[in-house]
Amino acid sequence: MQAGMVIIGAGECGGRAALTLRELAYDGPVTLVGDEPHLPYERPPLSKDAMVSDAPEIKAIASDAMLAERAIRHIHSVQAVAIDRTAHTVRLTDGSVLLYNKLLLATGSTPRRLPMPGLGSRCVYLRTFADALAIRQHLSAGNRVAIIGGGFIGLELAASARKLWAVVIVIEAQPRILMRGVPAEIAEIVHQAHEAEGVKILTGQGIISIADDGTEVCIALADGQEIVADLAVIGIGAVPVTGLAVEAGLTIDNGIAVDATLRTGDPDIFAAGDCCSFPLAVYAGRRVRLEAWRNAQEQGALAARNMLGAGEAHAAVPWFWSDQYGLSLQIAGLSDEGKSMVRRDLSDGAFILFHLAEDGRLVAASGIGPGNAVARDIRLAEMLIAKRVKPAPEALGSQDVKLKSLLAA
Amino acid sequence: MSDWVEACAAGDIDEEDVMRFDHGGRTFAIYRSPDDDYFATDGLCTHEKVHLADGLVMDDIIECPKHNGRFNYKTGAARGAPVCVNLATYPVKVEAGKVLIQIG
């Protein structure tokens, strides 16, 4: 058996890494191992377009033909069970053993489980295409859907469910929706949009108990209310998939700990995407773990370059988007690094909040508006954040000053 | 066929910027490059049919506003994930202060 590049996890990150290895003309064996039966596919549509479609389909990152053409071996429906770091092998659930020169762990994340008894077949999570199909069959006119957790997955799903005329209620334990990483002013716009579309949102509501008899879910809330639903979807965050790395003795620190080049403590093992924590150069090396599509894509490509010896440090600014109804929200940077905010109003009610650190440095920008109204300015903000500039707050706040001109300064 | 269609006035687009132009049920993107030339491509990204005119122009690159797919708008060449299909381009000329594109 010839040793080559082995990638565990065939999602956006792993798929992108495999393609990048070939783009860089690596000509040894490339093996991509995934536990789902599908080709590598994009997950963001699962809570959005795919959920609304009558016959949801996967949006593949690469077709069978593309993989074959590039001699990328895709082993599906199996998991990696153990890494032997001395022998440089990975053992899979089907008993086979792969020999690696460099190994990439792109194992992703998995929905955080609600630690509560009583959950049954009508209490579900959304991560995979199979999860999406299972949820989709319950989204129909008049069907009652309870969404536990007012984060992005839950809210995007609420919007999709409303498009199919389901009766939707969102239950959030925190005092408002989108507590993590989204400014209150923007969360409020999202909240209003959901209410205008007929979604009921309960905030500050703890759950006392859940009873699920396989046909109906009954959720008892702290204030005595009882919510009865045909389906409960739990969206309370995600946890990194680290089992394999733990077993292999790699360091875990809110995910598989890697350095700026995405390398673990073992020089032949890399980790990228949702499963890893890494130092973010633009915030003085602050260690973060990102659950975001673009990060998965960028780190998959970066890991591939570094598996081939590039030694390149991750330098990207975090970026995230969400679509709900006609609204699009985009965030660049980490807003919790900010101490003050400057608002810039755009056309059609769209606006951007710029987050400034104590020393005036631009550290994040959060925008919301119809369609792609904020996209261009958020992209420019991202470049400004990467350049670590300290723009004049008046310039950021004025529509008359083009952000592009600040970039040139 | 191959008619020249007036898309906009030359001054309607800033340098290093882009504008949407709809015609005959189709949508296009018209660009003005930093060196003051005009170009035209199909209006929708080849990844998920997003209007490119909402995106950012930097040098000879247009970046999709949604998922940051990149194209060289002068040639239509796809320049980075997630896009892999090139963008169609159209001939452009400027006459009497008007930008005309040739729609095949």
Side-chain angles (χ1 to χ4, degrees), chain A residues 206-266:
Chain A
I207 295 173
I208 299 298
S209 69
I210 294 183
D212 175 355
D213 64 6
T215 55
E216 226 174 46
V217 186
C218 186
I219 304 166
L221 301 180
D223 70 352
Q225 281 187 77
E226 267 192 2
I227 309 296
V228 179
D230 299 292
L231 183 74
V233 186
I234 301 160
I236 54 171
V239 292
V241 177
T242 58
L244 196 60
V246 171
E247 282 294 309
L250 298 171
T251 305
I252 307 296
D253 179 2
N254 179 31
I256 304 167
V258 293
D259 66 14
T261 68
L262 307 180
R263 199 188 283 262
T264 67
D266 182 323

Short mmCIF file of all heavy atoms in Angstrom, two decimals, chain A residues 206-266:
data_model
loop_
_atom_site.label_atom_id
_atom_site.label_comp_id
_atom_site.label_asym_id
_atom_site.label_seq_id
_atom_site.Cartn_x
_atom_site.Cartn_y
_atom_site.Cartn_z
N GLY A 206 -36.91 28.87 30.26
CA GLY A 206 -36.26 27.59 30.54
C GLY A 206 -37.24 26.45 30.30
O GLY A 206 -38.46 26.63 30.40
N ILE A 207 -36.70 25.29 29.94
CA ILE A 207 -37.54 24.11 29.74
C ILE A 207 -37.41 23.21 30.97
O ILE A 207 -36.32 22.89 31.41
CB ILE A 207 -37.12 23.35 28.46
CG1 ILE A 207 -37.39 24.23 27.25
CG2 ILE A 207 -37.85 22.01 28.36
CD1 ILE A 207 -36.87 23.68 25.95
N ILE A 208 -38.57 22.85 31.53
CA ILE A 208 -38.59 22.02 32.75
C ILE A 208 -38.56 20.55 32.38
O ILE A 208 -37.83 19.76 32.96
CB ILE A 208 -39.88 22.31 33.57
CG1 ILE A 208 -39.92 23.77 34.01
CG2 ILE A 208 -39.98 21.37 34.77
CD1 ILE A 208 -38.78 24.18 34.91
N SER A 209 -39.37 20.18 31.38
CA SER A 209 -39.41 18.77 30.99
C SER A 209 -39.94 18.63 29.57
O SER A 209 -40.58 19.53 29.04
CB SER A 209 -40.31 17.97 31.95
OG SER A 209 -41.66 18.37 31.76
N ILE A 210 -39.64 17.49 28.99
CA ILE A 210 -40.13 17.17 27.65
C ILE A 210 -40.71 15.76 27.68
O ILE A 210 -40.10 14.85 28.23
CB ILE A 210 -38.99 17.25 26.61
CG1 ILE A 210 -38.50 18.71 26.49
CG2 ILE A 210 -39.47 16.74 25.25
CD1 ILE A 210 -37.44 18.93 25.45
N ALA A 211 -41.87 15.62 27.08
CA ALA A 211 -42.47 14.28 26.94
C ALA A 211 -42.74 14.06 25.46
O ALA A 211 -43.37 14.90 24.81
CB ALA A 211 -43.76 14.18 27.74
N ASP A 212 -42.24 12.97 24.93
CA ASP A 212 -42.35 12.69 23.50
C ASP A 212 -42.86 11.26 23.34
O ASP A 212 -42.15 10.31 23.67
CB ASP A 212 -40.96 12.86 22.86
CG ASP A 212 -40.90 12.47 21.39
OD1 ASP A 212 -41.91 11.97 20.86
OD2 ASP A 212 -39.83 12.68 20.79
N ASP A 213 -44.12 11.10 22.86
CA ASP A 213 -44.68 9.75 22.75
C ASP A 213 -44.53 9.18 21.34
O ASP A 213 -45.14 8.17 21.00
CB ASP A 213 -46.15 9.73 23.19
CG ASP A 213 -47.03 10.57 22.28
OD1 ASP A 213 -46.53 11.08 21.24
OD2 ASP A 213 -48.23 10.72 22.59
N GLY A 214 -43.75 9.85 20.52
CA GLY A 214 -43.54 9.35 19.16
C GLY A 214 -44.51 9.92 18.15
O GLY A 214 -44.34 9.74 16.94
N THR A 215 -45.53 10.61 18.64
CA THR A 215 -46.45 11.29 17.71
C THR A 215 -46.56 12.76 18.04
O THR A 215 -46.88 13.58 17.18
CB THR A 215 -47.87 10.67 17.76
OG1 THR A 215 -48.32 10.70 19.12
CG2 THR A 215 -47.89 9.25 17.23
N GLU A 216 -46.27 13.10 19.28
CA GLU A 216 -46.42 14.47 19.75
C GLU A 216 -45.38 14.75 20.83
O GLU A 216 -45.01 13.86 21.59
CB GLU A 216 -47.81 14.62 20.38
CG GLU A 216 -48.55 15.85 19.94
CD GLU A 216 -49.97 15.85 20.48
OE1 GLU A 216 -50.18 15.58 21.68
OE2 GLU A 216 -50.87 16.17 19.70
N VAL A 217 -44.96 16.02 20.88
CA VAL A 217 -44.00 16.40 21.92
C VAL A 217 -44.67 17.43 22.82
O VAL A 217 -45.29 18.38 22.33
CB VAL A 217 -42.74 17.05 21.30
CG1 VAL A 217 -41.69 17.32 22.37
CG2 VAL A 217 -42.17 16.18 20.19
N CYS A 218 -44.55 17.23 24.11
CA CYS A 218 -45.10 18.20 25.05
C CYS A 218 -43.94 18.82 25.85
O CYS A 218 -43.19 18.12 26.51
CB CYS A 218 -46.08 17.49 25.98
SG CYS A 218 -46.91 18.65 27.05
N ILE A 219 -43.81 20.13 25.72
CA ILE A 219 -42.69 20.83 26.35
C ILE A 219 -43.23 21.69 27.48
O ILE A 219 -44.04 22.60 27.25
CB ILE A 219 -41.96 21.70 25.31
CG1 ILE A 219 -41.51 20.84 24.11
CG2 ILE A 219 -40.77 22.43 25.95
CD1 ILE A 219 -41.09 21.66 22.90
N ALA A 220 -42.77 21.41 28.69
CA ALA A 220 -43.22 22.21 29.85
C ALA A 220 -42.19 23.30 30.12
O ALA A 220 -41.00 23.01 30.28
CB ALA A 220 -43.38 21.30 31.06
N LEU A 221 -42.66 24.54 30.15
CA LEU A 221 -41.76 25.67 30.36
C LEU A 221 -41.75 26.12 31.82
O LEU A 221 -42.69 25.84 32.57
CB LEU A 221 -42.18 26.83 29.46
CG LEU A 221 -42.20 26.54 27.96
CD1 LEU A 221 -42.64 27.77 27.18
CD2 LEU A 221 -40.83 26.06 27.49
N ALA A 222 -40.71 26.86 32.15
CA ALA A 222 -40.52 27.30 33.54
C ALA A 222 -41.70 28.13 34.06
O ALA A 222 -42.04 28.08 35.23
CB ALA A 222 -39.22 28.09 33.65
N ASP A 223 -42.34 28.89 33.17
CA ASP A 223 -43.44 29.75 33.64
C ASP A 223 -44.77 29.01 33.69
O ASP A 223 -45.82 29.63 33.88
CB ASP A 223 -43.54 31.00 32.75
CG ASP A 223 -44.04 30.68 31.35
OD1 ASP A 223 -44.16 29.47 31.02
OD2 ASP A 223 -44.31 31.63 30.59
N GLY A 224 -44.75 27.69 33.49
CA GLY A 224 -45.98 26.92 33.62
C GLY A 224 -46.67 26.62 32.29
O GLY A 224 -47.56 25.76 32.22
N GLN A 225 -46.28 27.33 31.22
CA GLN A 225 -46.88 27.06 29.90
C GLN A 225 -46.50 25.66 29.43
O GLN A 225 -45.42 25.17 29.73
CB GLN A 225 -46.30 28.01 28.85
CG GLN A 225 -46.86 29.39 28.82
CD GLN A 225 -46.31 30.13 27.60
OE1 GLN A 225 -46.76 29.91 26.48
NE2 GLN A 225 -45.35 31.00 27.83
N GLU A 226 -47.40 25.08 28.64
CA GLU A 226 -47.07 23.83 27.98
C GLU A 226 -47.20 24.01 26.48
O GLU A 226 -48.22 24.50 25.99
CB GLU A 226 -48.02 22.71 28.45
CG GLU A 226 -47.45 21.93 29.60
CD GLU A 226 -48.24 20.65 29.86
OE1 GLU A 226 -49.20 20.36 29.12
OE2 GLU A 226 -47.89 19.96 30.80
N ILE A 227 -46.17 23.65 25.75
CA ILE A 227 -46.18 23.75 24.30
C ILE A 227 -46.31 22.35 23.73
O ILE A 227 -45.50 21.47 24.05
CB ILE A 227 -44.86 24.38 23.77
CG1 ILE A 227 -44.53 25.69 24.50
CG2 ILE A 227 -44.91 24.55 22.25
CD1 ILE A 227 -45.51 26.80 24.28
N VAL A 228 -47.32 22.15 22.89
CA VAL A 228 -47.49 20.84 22.26
C VAL A 228 -47.17 20.99 20.78
O VAL A 228 -47.65 21.91 20.12
CB VAL A 228 -48.93 20.31 22.45
CG1 VAL A 228 -49.10 18.96 21.77
CG2 VAL A 228 -49.24 20.21 23.94
N ALA A 229 -46.34 20.09 20.27
CA ALA A 229 -45.92 20.21 18.87
C ALA A 229 -45.85 18.82 18.23
O ALA A 229 -45.73 17.80 18.91
CB ALA A 229 -44.55 20.87 18.81
N ASP A 230 -45.94 18.83 16.88
CA ASP A 230 -45.79 17.58 16.15
C ASP A 230 -44.32 17.22 16.00
O ASP A 230 -43.98 16.06 15.79
CB ASP A 230 -46.44 17.71 14.76
CG ASP A 230 -47.92 18.01 14.88
OD1 ASP A 230 -48.66 17.12 15.33
OD2 ASP A 230 -48.33 19.16 14.57
N LEU A 231 -43.48 18.26 16.06
CA LEU A 231 -42.05 18.03 15.94
C LEU A 231 -41.30 19.07 16.75
O LEU A 231 -41.67 20.25 16.74
CB LEU A 231 -41.63 18.15 14.46
CG LEU A 231 -40.15 17.86 14.16
CD1 LEU A 231 -39.89 16.35 14.22
CD2 LEU A 231 -39.77 18.38 12.78
N ALA A 232 -40.26 18.65 17.45
CA ALA A 232 -39.38 19.60 18.12
C ALA A 232 -37.99 19.49 17.49
O ALA A 232 -37.45 18.39 17.37
CB ALA A 232 -39.29 19.29 19.62
N VAL A 233 -37.48 20.62 17.05
CA VAL A 233 -36.12 20.62 16.50
C VAL A 233 -35.24 21.35 17.50
O VAL A 233 -35.53 22.48 17.89
CB VAL A 233 -36.05 21.33 15.13
CG1 VAL A 233 -34.64 21.18 14.55
CG2 VAL A 233 -37.08 20.76 14.16
N ILE A 234 -34.16 20.69 17.89
CA ILE A 234 -33.28 21.25 18.90
C ILE A 234 -32.06 21.86 18.22
O ILE A 234 -31.32 21.16 17.53
CB ILE A 234 -32.87 20.15 19.91
CG1 ILE A 234 -34.13 19.57 20.57
CG2 ILE A 234 -31.92 20.72 20.97
CD1 ILE A 234 -33.93 18.22 21.21
N GLY A 235 -31.88 23.16 18.40
CA GLY A 235 -30.74 23.85 17.79
C GLY A 235 -30.05 24.68 18.84
O GLY A 235 -30.24 25.89 18.93
N ILE A 236 -29.27 24.04 19.69
CA ILE A 236 -28.66 24.75 20.82
C ILE A 236 -27.14 24.75 20.71
O ILE A 236 -26.43 24.71 21.70
CB ILE A 236 -29.11 24.14 22.17
CG1 ILE A 236 -28.85 22.62 22.20
CG2 ILE A 236 -30.59 24.41 22.40
CD1 ILE A 236 -29.06 21.98 23.57
N GLY A 237 -26.67 24.78 19.49
CA GLY A 237 -25.23 24.86 19.29
C GLY A 237 -24.63 23.54 18.82
O GLY A 237 -25.35 22.57 18.59
N ALA A 238 -23.33 23.55 18.67
CA ALA A 238 -22.65 22.36 18.17
C ALA A 238 -21.38 22.14 18.96
O ALA A 238 -20.82 23.08 19.54
CB ALA A 238 -22.31 22.54 16.69
N VAL A 239 -20.96 20.90 19.01
CA VAL A 239 -19.70 20.57 19.68
C VAL A 239 -18.76 19.91 18.67
O VAL A 239 -19.20 19.20 17.77
CB VAL A 239 -19.93 19.63 20.89
CG1 VAL A 239 -20.68 20.37 21.99
CG2 VAL A 239 -20.69 18.37 20.51
N PRO A 240 -17.47 20.16 18.81
CA PRO A 240 -16.52 19.59 17.84
C PRO A 240 -16.42 18.08 17.98
O PRO A 240 -16.54 17.55 19.09
CB PRO A 240 -15.20 20.27 18.24
CG PRO A 240 -15.35 20.63 19.68
CD PRO A 240 -16.81 20.97 19.84
N VAL A 241 -16.21 17.41 16.87
CA VAL A 241 -16.05 15.95 16.88
C VAL A 241 -14.56 15.66 17.08
O VAL A 241 -13.75 15.86 16.18
CB VAL A 241 -16.56 15.32 15.58
CG1 VAL A 241 -16.32 13.81 15.57
CG2 VAL A 241 -18.04 15.63 15.40
N THR A 242 -14.22 15.20 18.29
CA THR A 242 -12.79 15.08 18.65
C THR A 242 -12.40 13.68 19.11
O THR A 242 -11.25 13.46 19.46
CB THR A 242 -12.45 16.07 19.79
OG1 THR A 242 -13.30 15.77 20.90
CG2 THR A 242 -12.65 17.51 19.38
N GLY A 243 -13.35 12.75 19.11
CA GLY A 243 -13.10 11.42 19.67
C GLY A 243 -11.83 10.76 19.14
O GLY A 243 -11.00 10.25 19.90
N LEU A 244 -11.68 10.79 17.84
CA LEU A 244 -10.54 10.16 17.18
C LEU A 244 -9.22 10.81 17.64
O LEU A 244 -8.23 10.13 17.90
CB LEU A 244 -10.71 10.33 15.67
CG LEU A 244 -9.89 9.49 14.72
CD1 LEU A 244 -10.16 8.01 14.95
CD2 LEU A 244 -10.22 9.89 13.28
N ALA A 245 -9.26 12.14 17.74
CA ALA A 245 -8.06 12.88 18.15
C ALA A 245 -7.72 12.62 19.61
O ALA A 245 -6.55 12.47 19.98
CB ALA A 245 -8.28 14.39 17.92
N VAL A 246 -8.75 12.52 20.45
CA VAL A 246 -8.54 12.21 21.87
C VAL A 246 -7.87 10.86 22.01
O VAL A 246 -6.87 10.70 22.71
CB VAL A 246 -9.89 12.23 22.64
CG1 VAL A 246 -9.72 11.70 24.05
CG2 VAL A 246 -10.48 13.64 22.66
N GLU A 247 -8.45 9.87 21.31
CA GLU A 247 -7.91 8.51 21.35
C GLU A 247 -6.44 8.48 20.91
O GLU A 247 -5.65 7.69 21.39
CB GLU A 247 -8.72 7.61 20.41
CG GLU A 247 -10.05 7.17 20.99
CD GLU A 247 -9.86 6.28 22.20
OE1 GLU A 247 -9.10 5.30 22.08
OE2 GLU A 247 -10.46 6.57 23.26
N ALA A 248 -6.12 9.34 19.96
CA ALA A 248 -4.76 9.36 19.40
C ALA A 248 -3.81 10.16 20.28
O ALA A 248 -2.62 10.29 19.97
CB ALA A 248 -4.78 9.93 17.99
N GLY A 249 -4.34 10.74 21.37
CA GLY A 249 -3.49 11.47 22.30
C GLY A 249 -3.14 12.88 21.86
O GLY A 249 -2.18 13.48 22.36
N LEU A 250 -3.91 13.43 20.93
CA LEU A 250 -3.66 14.81 20.48
C LEU A 250 -4.27 15.78 21.50
O LEU A 250 -5.22 15.43 22.21
CB LEU A 250 -4.27 15.03 19.10
CG LEU A 250 -3.68 14.14 17.98
CD1 LEU A 250 -4.50 14.27 16.70
CD2 LEU A 250 -2.22 14.50 17.73
N THR A 251 -3.74 16.98 21.54
CA THR A 251 -4.22 17.97 22.52
C THR A 251 -5.58 18.52 22.09
O THR A 251 -5.79 18.89 20.94
CB THR A 251 -3.21 19.13 22.63
OG1 THR A 251 -1.94 18.58 22.94
CG2 THR A 251 -3.63 20.13 23.70
N ILE A 252 -6.49 18.58 23.07
CA ILE A 252 -7.83 19.13 22.82
C ILE A 252 -7.97 20.39 23.66
O ILE A 252 -7.66 20.41 24.85
CB ILE A 252 -8.93 18.13 23.25
CG1 ILE A 252 -8.72 16.75 22.60
CG2 ILE A 252 -10.32 18.68 22.94
CD1 ILE A 252 -8.82 16.71 21.11
N ASP A 253 -8.42 21.47 23.03
CA ASP A 253 -8.67 22.72 23.73
C ASP A 253 -9.84 23.39 23.02
O ASP A 253 -9.65 24.11 22.05
CB ASP A 253 -7.40 23.60 23.67
CG ASP A 253 -7.60 24.94 24.37
OD1 ASP A 253 -8.69 25.17 24.93
OD2 ASP A 253 -6.66 25.76 24.34
N ASN A 254 -11.06 23.09 23.45
CA ASN A 254 -12.26 23.53 22.71
C ASN A 254 -12.14 23.11 21.25
O ASN A 254 -12.25 23.91 20.34
CB ASN A 254 -12.44 25.05 22.83
CG ASN A 254 -13.67 25.54 22.06
OD1 ASN A 254 -14.65 24.81 21.94
ND2 ASN A 254 -13.61 26.75 21.54
N GLY A 255 -11.93 21.85 21.02
CA GLY A 255 -11.67 21.33 19.68
C GLY A 255 -10.24 20.82 19.60
O GLY A 255 -9.48 20.94 20.57
N ILE A 256 -9.90 20.25 18.48
CA ILE A 256 -8.54 19.72 18.29
C ILE A 256 -7.61 20.93 18.17
O ILE A 256 -7.77 21.75 17.27
CB ILE A 256 -8.47 18.85 17.02
CG1 ILE A 256 -9.51 17.72 17.07
CG2 ILE A 256 -7.05 18.28 16.84
CD1 ILE A 256 -9.73 17.01 15.74
N ALA A 257 -6.66 21.04 19.09
CA ALA A 257 -5.80 22.23 19.11
C ALA A 257 -4.76 22.16 18.01
O ALA A 257 -4.02 21.18 17.90
CB ALA A 257 -5.14 22.36 20.48
N VAL A 258 -4.73 23.20 17.19
CA VAL A 258 -3.71 23.28 16.13
C VAL A 258 -2.99 24.63 16.24
O VAL A 258 -3.48 25.56 16.89
CB VAL A 258 -4.33 23.15 14.72
CG1 VAL A 258 -4.89 21.75 14.52
CG2 VAL A 258 -5.39 24.21 14.47
N ASP A 259 -1.83 24.71 15.57
CA ASP A 259 -1.13 25.99 15.52
C ASP A 259 -1.65 26.81 14.33
O ASP A 259 -2.60 26.39 13.66
CB ASP A 259 0.39 25.77 15.47
CG ASP A 259 0.86 25.10 14.18
OD1 ASP A 259 0.08 25.02 13.20
OD2 ASP A 259 2.02 24.64 14.14
N ALA A 260 -1.04 27.93 14.07
CA ALA A 260 -1.54 28.82 13.01
C ALA A 260 -1.49 28.17 11.62
O ALA A 260 -2.19 28.59 10.71
CB ALA A 260 -0.74 30.12 13.00
N THR A 261 -0.68 27.11 11.49
CA THR A 261 -0.62 26.43 10.19
C THR A 261 -1.56 25.22 10.15
O THR A 261 -1.49 24.42 9.24
CB THR A 261 0.82 25.96 9.88
OG1 THR A 261 1.18 24.92 10.80
CG2 THR A 261 1.83 27.10 9.99
N LEU A 262 -2.39 25.09 11.19
CA LEU A 262 -3.39 24.02 11.31
C LEU A 262 -2.77 22.67 11.63
O LEU A 262 -3.38 21.62 11.43
CB LEU A 262 -4.27 23.93 10.05
CG LEU A 262 -4.95 25.24 9.61
CD1 LEU A 262 -5.79 25.00 8.37
CD2 LEU A 262 -5.82 25.81 10.74
N ARG A 263 -1.56 22.68 12.14
CA ARG A 263 -0.88 21.46 12.51
C ARG A 263 -1.15 21.15 13.97
O ARG A 263 -1.11 22.04 14.81
CB ARG A 263 0.62 21.66 12.28
CG ARG A 263 1.43 20.39 12.16
CD ARG A 263 2.90 20.75 12.15
NE ARG A 263 3.38 21.28 10.88
CZ ARG A 263 4.01 20.54 9.96
NH1 ARG A 263 4.18 19.27 10.15
NH2 ARG A 263 4.44 21.10 8.86
N THR A 264 -1.40 19.87 14.28
CA THR A 264 -1.55 19.44 15.68
C THR A 264 -0.16 19.27 16.27
O THR A 264 0.84 19.55 15.59
CB THR A 264 -2.30 18.10 15.76
OG1 THR A 264 -1.47 17.09 15.18
CG2 THR A 264 -3.64 18.14 15.03
N GLY A 265 -0.08 18.75 17.48
CA GLY A 265 1.21 18.47 18.10
C GLY A 265 2.00 17.42 17.34
O GLY A 265 3.20 17.29 17.51
N ASP A 266 1.32 16.63 16.52
CA ASP A 266 1.98 15.63 15.68
C ASP A 266 2.23 16.27 14.32
O ASP A 266 1.29 16.69 13.65
CB ASP A 266 1.06 14.41 15.54
CG ASP A 266 1.69 13.28 14.71
OD1 ASP A 266 2.39 13.58 13.73
OD2 ASP A 266 1.46 12.11 15.06
#
